[in-house]
Amino acid sequence: MEENKKKLGFNIIKNDPTDGHKGYGKGALSLDNVSPVIIDVNAGEAEIDVGAMHARSVVEKGIKFLPNQDDVPNGKPYWLVWVTVDRKPEGPYYAGVTACYMTVDREIRRGYKSLPEHVNRMDKSLKRHIIVEHMDDKSKKVLADFLRGHNEDLWNNSTDELKKGLQAN
């Protein structure tokens, strides 16, 4: 099963569909350049899971999410991190990185997450915000190592705000 898994990468910005005309869709945000990264806090692992774009990641499938964390006392902690890639004169970089907390208890098929927070954080990532200060230090290091390992050029071109936010230089 493991070898059948597709390796997915970040979507590097496609051509602007509104190039050359000023009509419909001009200035609209595109989801083509955002990728969801799921961090398993306990395992200290991160991976891209595009299913999270529609709350259908491997972690989320088959789980009924509740808005109160106390209703899932034995939930396993995860971070869903929205990573937006953009391009500047120096080259592509991680432009928006925002993290959302969630828990999952497979045994009772229940989990906790704040759906409005997940939607708002995806929007903030698309708008080039860095929101990682609320993450635990172990997960920050996992994310920094993952982003650097995924593409060192993207990491090197990224802002000091991101690198400091993840306590990595």
Side-chain angles (χ1 to χ4, degrees):
M1 175 125 179
E2 204 55 39
E3 62 272 10
N4 290 343
K5 268 191 179 176
K6 283 186 182 174
K7 286 287 183 205
L8 297 170
F10 289 99
N11 288 327
I12 307 292
I13 298 151
K14 295 180 180 171
N15 292 333
D16 183 354
T18 60
D19 251 5
H21 74 88
K22 297 170 182 67
Y24 176 77
K26 191 67 180 167
L29 291 173
S30 167
L31 297 180
D32 285 344
N33 51 349
V34 66
S35 296
V37 175
I38 305 272
I39 296 176
D40 180 328
V41 175
N42 295 345
E45 297 171 348
E47 68 178 8
I48 297 169
D49 188 333
V50 293
M53 292 294 288
H54 305 285
R56 302 293 298 150
S57 67
V58 171
V59 170
E60 296 165 295
K61 273 188 183 165
I63 300 298
K64 177 178 172 53
F65 283 96
L66 307 172
N68 184 353
Q69 193 170 347
D70 295 337
D71 294 338
V72 192
N74 300 315
K76 185 177 170 185
Y78 292 91
W79 290 102
L80 169 55
V81 184
W82 298 108
V83 179
T84 301
V85 175
D86 201 352
R87 183 174 291 281
K88 56 185 178 180
E90 300 81 7
Y93 70 110
Y94 297 121
V97 179
T98 60
C100 319
Y101 186 71
M102 66 181 176
T103 65
V104 171
D105 184 337
R106 283 250 160 250
E107 202 172 301
I108 62 169
R109 299 184 64 193
R110 296 289 179 267
Y112 156 78
K113 73 175 173 182
S114 167
L115 189 57
E117 178 191 46
H118 283 239
V119 172
N120 289 335
R121 292 278 163 88
M122 180 172 66
D123 182 60
K124 293 280 191 200
S125 178
L126 286 165
K127 291 177 178 170
R128 316 306 186 249
H129 292 265
I130 306 294
I131 305 174
V132 294
E133 63 279 352
H134 58 298
M135 294 176 72
D136 59 283
D137 287 344
K138 177 184 171 189
S139 296
K140 285 180 184 180
K141 182 177 181 346
V142 168
L143 181 58
D145 291 347
F146 177 81
L147 293 174
R148 188 183 296 114
H150 180 77
N151 187 315
E152 188 126 19
D153 289 337
L154 286 174
W155 176 260
N156 290 337
N157 290 336
S158 294
T159 64
D160 288 340
E161 180 187 5
L162 174 63
K163 295 172 190 171
K164 286 181 181 142
L166 295 177
Q167 298 178 336
N169 289 318

